């Protein structure tokens, strides 16, 4: 008889072995700094609080506070069929230590934030996974922990400008291109990249010989539908011979390739850098179903994957739940973002989903992972977007009016680990947004159009608050009936339909649309007299935000 399928097992290193084997005697152990006594998780060779390197272990009580949970309906894993509850708990000894886990031995309908939980262990070979169930001896609901840096206090932690000489003043965005965009195009991803790049070069009035830099995100590797092969693949196909190139995932989000290119141009390493981002999720999924390729990519983080937290949705859903709990936000608030994007997509012939969407459609759609339903999630697609960054002194000789870069925001203030980071907002949004406004005299009220990352509706809400278009926790009132973010509202939002309806082009599509609007080329969806635009990319990963303006 074959063995029962097992859930994913964590990767064990000498540094983490104590944690994953701790449950053999029924006790939970957490790393502790012997110098300052702080608990540190995930385990590190150094204490993040005192930066000493004398690290040990401590047996803790196993009691914790439930600070987040989401009932997963969409995904199933071997040994972990849907539905299951992904949860986050904060240890009673130190609420800074949070564990992603599963809530077990409970009715999900009766779970509440603040509930006291108790560890139980599930054995997977030599691994003992710490799971949590409601404590046998309950206590009154505990208040949720607060962030070490209050969301509204982020500006106080921004580093001052290193120099009054801004690199942004030395560059311009001069060309944009987009490939075919659609579902299951069954096209080679590199062919889509070439389409987008060819269009961007032509749009700028340049030749291939003018391109002396290449930049992309996330580059090559085992990234499945999220890479076309990187700079290596494009250079091999086109023979460009760049003087500078860049590609990697640890940058300022999907639009990080553009910011890196701006730095290179400002430093004199290149004159015209071709930046590109390609996804082929729909075709990839079809080929996996047909058995023609072996799946790769996805979240394999040992602190998340064993508990079925294999999608960004699982982290963000719990963060959204805490935003709901703290500020009174609700599903209708998120729904107004989804409806706005769909209304705008109806005016863009390149958008994938253009049919009308009602609030009832949104609220009754199939659940993905609570509180997210189908229309809270962006549209997997095939497509590529390219942007050319040029030296500003060359820009006025090119085919299109240059789009100038007023400021970039990149600073990391929050912790990078998804489940250890900001509690009520998407990680890597608040700090970068605060950083942006220190590099310009413009202010949120000067923005004419906002193209904000919306891999999920909640991403978009977080950027609205982080960038100061309303106060922290005020999105429910700001979005009230949806008029504020409509094309004729005070903050026209994601004018091409965003990733929720236009398609998941991973942030670069938002930069493309911002440039389109500032050129006045938006057609039926054009915002009159748009002169200043903000475009964000990412979140969760280190992200970036750009403030752009028309040169007119």
């Amino acid at each position: 008889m074959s063995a029962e399928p097992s859930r994913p097992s964590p990767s064990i290193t000498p540094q983490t072995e104590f944690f994953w084997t701790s449950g053999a005697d029924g006790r939970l152990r957490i790393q502790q700094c012997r110098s300052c006594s702080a608990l540190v998780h995930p385990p590190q060779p150094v204490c993040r609080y005192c930066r000493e390197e004398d690290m040990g272990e401590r047996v803790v009580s196993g009691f914790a506070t439930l600070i987040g949970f989401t009932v997963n309906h969409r995904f199933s894993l071997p040994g972990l069929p849907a539905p299951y509850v992904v949860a986050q708990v904060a240890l009673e000894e130190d609420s800074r230590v949070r564990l992603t886990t599963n809530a077990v031995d409970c009715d999900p309908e009766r779970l509440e934030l603040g509930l006291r939980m108790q560890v139980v262990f599930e054995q997977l070979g030599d691994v003992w996974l710490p799971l949590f169930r409601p404590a046998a001896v309950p206590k009154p609901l505990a208040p949720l922990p607060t962030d070490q840096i209050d969301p509204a206090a982020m500006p106080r932690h921004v580093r001052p400008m290193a120099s009054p000489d801004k690199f942004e003043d030395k560059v311009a965005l001069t060309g944009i291109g987009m490939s075919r965009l659609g579902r299951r195009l069954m096209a080679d991803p590199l062919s889509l990249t070439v389409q987008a790049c060819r269009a961007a070069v032509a749009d700028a009035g340049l030749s291939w010989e003018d391109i002396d830099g290449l930049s992309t995100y996330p580059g090559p590797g085992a990234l499945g539908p999220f890479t076309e092969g990187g700079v290596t693949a494009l250079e091999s196909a086109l023979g460009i011979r760049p003087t500078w190139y860049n590609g990697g995932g640890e940058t300022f989000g999907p639009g990080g390739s553009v910011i890196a290119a701006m730095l290179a141009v400002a430093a004199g390493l290149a004159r015209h850098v071709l930046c590109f981002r390609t996804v082929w999720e729909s075709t990839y999924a079809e080929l996996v179903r047909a058995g023609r390729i072996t799946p790769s990519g996805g979240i394999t983080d040992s602190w998340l994957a064993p508990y079925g937290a294999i999608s960004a949705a699982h982290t963000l859903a719990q963060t959204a739940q805490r935003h709901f709990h703290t500020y009174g936000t609700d599903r209708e608030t998120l729904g107004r973002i989804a409806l706005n994007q769909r209304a705008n997509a109806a005016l863009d012939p390149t958008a994938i989903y253009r049919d009308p969407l009602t609030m009832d459609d949104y609220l009754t759609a199939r659940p993905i992972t609570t509180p997210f339903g189908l229309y809270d999630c962006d549209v997997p697609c095939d497509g590529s977007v390219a942007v050319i960054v040029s030296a500003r002194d060359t820009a006025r000789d090119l085919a299109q009016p240059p789009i100038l870069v007023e400021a970039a925001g990149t600073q990391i203030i929050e912790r990078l680990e998804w489940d250890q980071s900001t509690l009520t907002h998407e990680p890597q949004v608040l700090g970068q947004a605060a950083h942006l406004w220190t590099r310009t005299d413009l202010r949120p009220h000067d923005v004419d159009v906002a193209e904000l990352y919306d891999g999920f509706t909640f991403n978009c809400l977080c950027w609205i608050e982080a960038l100061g278009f309303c106060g922290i926790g005020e999105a429910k009132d700001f979005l009230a009936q949806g008029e504020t973010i409509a094309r004729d509202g005070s903050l026209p939002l994601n004018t091409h339909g965003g990733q929720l309806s236009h398609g998941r082009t991973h942030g670069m599509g938002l930069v493309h649309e911002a440039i389109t609007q500032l050129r006045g080329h938006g057609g039926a969806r054009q915002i009159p007299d748009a002169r200043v635009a903000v475009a964000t990319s990412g979140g969760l990963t280190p992200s970036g935000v750009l403030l752009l303006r028309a040169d007119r």
Side-chain angles (χ1 to χ4, degrees), residues 274-422:
L274 178 59
C275 310
F276 56 95
R277 177 76 183 101
T278 303
V279 292
W280 54 298
E281 291 180 87
S282 293
T283 291
Y284 178 89
E286 188 68 21
L287 294 174
V288 168
R289 278 192 291 269
R292 294 169 59 184
I293 58 174
T294 301
S296 62
I299 293 173
T300 58
D301 186 314
S302 287
W303 307 106
L304 302 177
Y307 307 101
I310 58 170
S311 167
H314 294 125
T315 296
L316 280 180
Q318 294 178 87
T319 309
Q321 182 195 42
R322 286 189 290 267
H323 198 284
F324 286 18
H325 176 86
T326 304
Y327 303 119
T329 318
D330 53 24
R331 289 207 67 215
E332 285 83 354
T333 305
L334 299 182
R336 291 183 187 106
I337 294 173
L339 268 60
N340 175 79
Q341 265 74 316
R342 182 61 63 87
N344 290 341
L347 299 177
D348 186 341
T350 68
I352 292 175
Y353 288 151
R354 303 177 63 202
D355 293 338
L357 182 69
T358 68
M359 184 62 78
D360 187 60
D361 295 332
Y362 167 82
L363 293 173
T364 59
R366 64 182 174 89
I368 300 300
T369 190
T370 58
F372 294 159
L374 179 64
Y375 298 116
D376 288 296
C377 309
D378 58 10
V379 184
C381 66
D382 302 334
S384 182
V385 179
V387 175
I388 293 178
V389 177
S390 298
R392 189 163 171 178
D393 60 9
T394 71
R396 287 181 177 82
D397 296 328
L398 301 183
Q400 300 288 352
I403 300 303
L404 306 182
V405 182
E406 175 67 21
T410 57
Q411 186 179 339
I412 294 172
I413 297 177
E414 309 122 275
R415 283 188 68 167
L416 285 171
E417 303 99 326
W418 288 8
D419 59 349
Q420 307 295 318
S421 195
T422 312

Side-chain angles (χ1 to χ4, degrees), residues 5 61 77 133 201 291 325 371 382 467 501:
S61 66
L77 297 173
R133 62 172 175 79
V201 170
H325 176 86
D382 302 334
L467 285 165
S501 285

